[in-house]
């Protein structure tokens, strides 16, 4: 889900006073700049915006503009839970920033450029970020990696699917916050799902009740950039490979739902 909340800040620019002596003209120069804040996901709307210590409760207001690289932007929320402060770029013209959860589980918000914009994705690949923790599917120290396994040969419904013995890619060191960089993984065949396996800090299989743990996710053809959240819970009753309709050859679990879309583009 996506909802947008726009703050338009009309910025009053500096007044140039050529002279204060009697009989000389007072010259004024006024320009405008805008800051637009869009909310991504389920973050609630701020009740106030504070710019360099000055609070504004309205959606249209004037503030002095100074020639400096950044301004301090603070946000206040009705329940005081998400109060937030950060320096953002200060430039003339249109300024677009986005507000979203960087840590979903403890509701830590961040603000900045759109997290899915400007990511270069070569043909045949998708860019992926994963965050979250799940004690049930992590090792004893809470460490979690995801191995990515590619299909070998063709996929035929009702026949066992062969996957690479070793992961072709790895999404490493998954934590409660989204990592700085995306991981590129090979895009699966049309209408097929990528197989992820849960691995510990040594990149060994994590076992639950003596069985390996898998998750399968699809990637729509018209999208290239994805952010996922590993959720708590997940059913430990399904052992079927959704690419074939048969049980996983090693008896491993297909845990669902556990790897959910947070954002995609």
């Amino acid at each position: 889900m996506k909802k947008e909340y726009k703050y338009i800040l009309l910025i009053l620019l500096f007044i140039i006073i050529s002279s204060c002596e009697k009989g000389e003209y007072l010259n004024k120069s006024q320009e405008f700049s805008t800051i637009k804040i869009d909310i991504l996901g389920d973050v609630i709307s701020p009740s106030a915006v504070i710019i360099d210590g000055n609070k504004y409760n309205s959606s249209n207001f004037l503030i002095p503009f100074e020639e400096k690289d950044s301004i301090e932007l603070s946000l206040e929320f009705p329940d005081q839970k998400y109060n937030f402060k950060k320096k953002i770029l200060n430039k003339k013209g249109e300024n677009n920033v986005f507000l979203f959860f960087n840590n979903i589980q403890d509701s830590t918000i961040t603000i900045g450029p759109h997290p899915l914009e400007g990511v270069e994705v070569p043909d045949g690949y998708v860019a992926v970020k994963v965050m979250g923790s799940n004690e049930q599917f992590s090792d004893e120290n809470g460490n979690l990696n995801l191995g990515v396994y590619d299909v070998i040969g063709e996929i035929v419904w009702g026949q066992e699917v062969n996957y690479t013995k070793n992961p072709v890619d790895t999404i490493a060191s998954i934590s409660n916050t989204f990592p700085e960089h995306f991981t590129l993984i090979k895009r699966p065949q049309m209408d097929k799902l990528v197989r992820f396996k849960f691995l510990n800090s040594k990149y060994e299989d994590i076992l639950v009740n003596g069985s390996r743990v898998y998750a399968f996710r699809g990637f729509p053809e018209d999208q290239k950039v994805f952010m996922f959240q590993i959720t708590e819970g997940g059913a430990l009753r399904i052992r079927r490979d959704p690419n074939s309709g048969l049980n996983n050859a090693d008896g491993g679990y297909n845990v669902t739902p556990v790897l959910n879309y947070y954002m995609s583009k």
Side-chain angles (χ1 to χ4, degrees):
M1 291 190 305
K2 175 182 176 182
K3 60 179 180 178
E4 296 184 349
Y5 184 83
K6 301 180 180 179
Y7 277 95
I8 307 300
L9 311 184
L10 300 177
I11 301 180
L12 180 63
L13 297 179
F14 57 88
I15 298 175
I16 303 174
I17 302 176
S18 60
S19 173
C20 292
E21 295 182 6
K22 185 177 179 179
E24 295 191 349
Y25 291 102
L26 181 65
N27 296 319
K28 296 181 180 180
S29 177
Q30 181 175 315
E31 297 178 286
F32 295 93
S33 208
T34 62
I35 295 176
K36 184 176 73 172
I37 302 176
D38 289 335
I39 291 180
L40 305 177
D42 295 326
V43 182
I44 63 174
S45 300
S47 57
V49 176
I50 303 171
I51 302 292
D52 287 342
N54 298 310
K55 181 182 289 190
Y56 304 91
N57 299 95
S58 140
S59 60
N60 294 288
F61 46 88
L62 299 175
I63 65 172
F65 179 87
E66 299 178 14
E67 292 286 355
K68 54 185 179 181
D69 294 334
S70 63
I71 57 176
E72 187 172 82
L73 170 66
S74 298
L75 302 175
E76 290 186 355
F77 294 85
D79 61 2
Q80 302 297 309
K81 183 178 181 180
Y82 306 121
N83 287 359
F84 178 81
K85 179 186 294 184
K86 184 179 180 180
K87 286 188 178 295
I88 65 170
L89 184 67
N90 181 37
K91 63 185 180 74
K92 297 177 182 178
E94 188 171 287
N95 297 269
N96 295 303
V97 293
F98 297 85
L99 187 69
F100 58 96
F101 285 123
N102 194 52
N103 183 325
I104 300 169
Q105 288 162 325
D106 69 5
S107 300
T108 300
I109 60 172
T110 190
I111 197 169
H114 195 294
L116 304 185
E117 293 293 343
V119 183
E120 297 293 331
V121 184
D123 291 341
Y125 288 84
V126 293
V128 177
K129 279 186 182 183
V130 180
M131 67 84 65
S133 64
N134 189 313
E135 292 182 1
Q136 189 177 17
F137 308 126
S138 302
D139 65 18
E140 63 276 8
N141 296 315
N143 298 307
L144 175 61
N145 302 293
L146 283 177
V148 183
Y149 294 80
D150 201 4
V151 174
I152 299 175
E154 295 296 319
I155 293 178
V156 179
W157 183 255
Q159 296 184 17
E160 183 179 325
V161 177
N162 294 315
Y163 295 94
T164 54
K165 181 180 179 180
N166 298 313
V168 295
D169 293 294
T170 303
I171 302 174
S173 303
I174 296 170
S175 70
N176 280 334
T177 59
F178 285 110
E180 181 179 356
H181 301 292
F182 284 86
T183 298
L184 292 178
I185 65 174
K186 187 177 179 181
R187 182 182 283 279
Q189 300 177 40
M190 180 75 75
D191 299 327
K192 302 304 177 183
L193 306 177
V194 169
R195 186 191 214 186
F196 297 92
K197 183 164 65 172
F198 290 71
L199 306 173
N200 64 18
S201 59
K202 297 180 180 179
Y203 297 93
E204 301 167 336
D205 298 343
I206 290 175
L207 301 179
V208 178
N209 301 332
S211 297
R212 298 181 179 91
V213 181
Y214 299 104
F216 293 83
R217 291 301 330 187
F219 297 90
E221 283 294 315
D222 60 344
Q223 299 178 16
K224 290 187 174 183
V225 188
F226 301 85
M227 295 171 74
F228 290 100
Q229 174 194 5
I230 293 178
T231 59
E232 294 291 340
L236 280 176
R237 61 180 182 270
I238 300 173
R239 297 180 183 268
R240 186 173 62 253
D241 182 339
N243 281 323
S244 67
L246 303 177
N247 284 347
N248 292 308
D250 60 3
Y253 290 109
N254 171 15
V255 183
T256 180
V258 70
L259 192 60
N260 291 335
Y261 288 116
Y262 177 60
M263 248 186 267
S264 62
K265 187 171 183 177

